Amino acid sequence: MTSCSATLSTHQRRVLQLLLAKESQIVEQCNQHNSQFAKILNDLQCMNHIHDPDERALKCDEFIRLHASFAYDMPICSMVPEATQIAMTCDCVCIQAACFRILYKWIPMLDTLRMKLLKIKNICAIATKHVLKNGVETCAEIENIVRKILKPTS
């Protein structure tokens, strides 16, 4: 592996700093969403250990109502202005790699996590309006979704 030996202008260094800060911000948001999924899974697993069917159904209904109206914090995520243009025109591997990671790894991962949170919210919202299945079944469906999300990739 070679190291980057590009000589950067002040503006390019500023863009690189902004890129690295943006990448850290996006990674932090991904970690926060993963923590939310872990908490959801923990809550669902705790409900699975309730042996009284009525109490379990009540807890599932509470979970569904809570998540149907839950306001997820989803700040807007965008690329650093000019970063892609600078990455294409300069020979700085650091800027190019940061752009690549942000555009092709972190933003898609963040979008996927956000979509899954919205999917859970929508499942819960639909379950509160239409009683198509009971709360225990809805919670089991959500648990399967969360398990797939948190499953480590090999």
Side-chain angles (χ1 to χ4, degrees), residues 41-85:
L41 183 61
N42 183 55
D43 292 346
L44 291 168
Q45 287 177 330
C46 287
M47 285 187 277
N48 287 336
H49 291 288
I50 299 172
H51 296 292
D52 180 18
D54 293 333
E55 184 181 349
R56 184 173 178 195
L58 179 66
K59 291 287 186 186
C60 286
D61 289 341
E62 288 175 10
F63 175 89
I64 290 167
R65 277 194 306 279
L66 173 70
H67 286 83
S69 61
F70 198 74
Y72 294 107
D73 180 29
M74 296 188 184
I76 296 173
C77 179
S78 61
M79 186 59 154
V80 174
E82 298 181 72
T84 308
Q85 184 64 33

Side-chain angles (χ1 to χ4, degrees), residues 2 10 31 38 62 67 72 88 90 104 118 123 144 148 150:
T2 61
T10 304
N31 289 338
E62 288 175 10
H67 286 83
Y72 294 107
M88 291 189 306
C90 81
Y104 297 106
L118 289 174
I123 289 170
N144 286 334
K148 288 177 186 174
L150 294 176

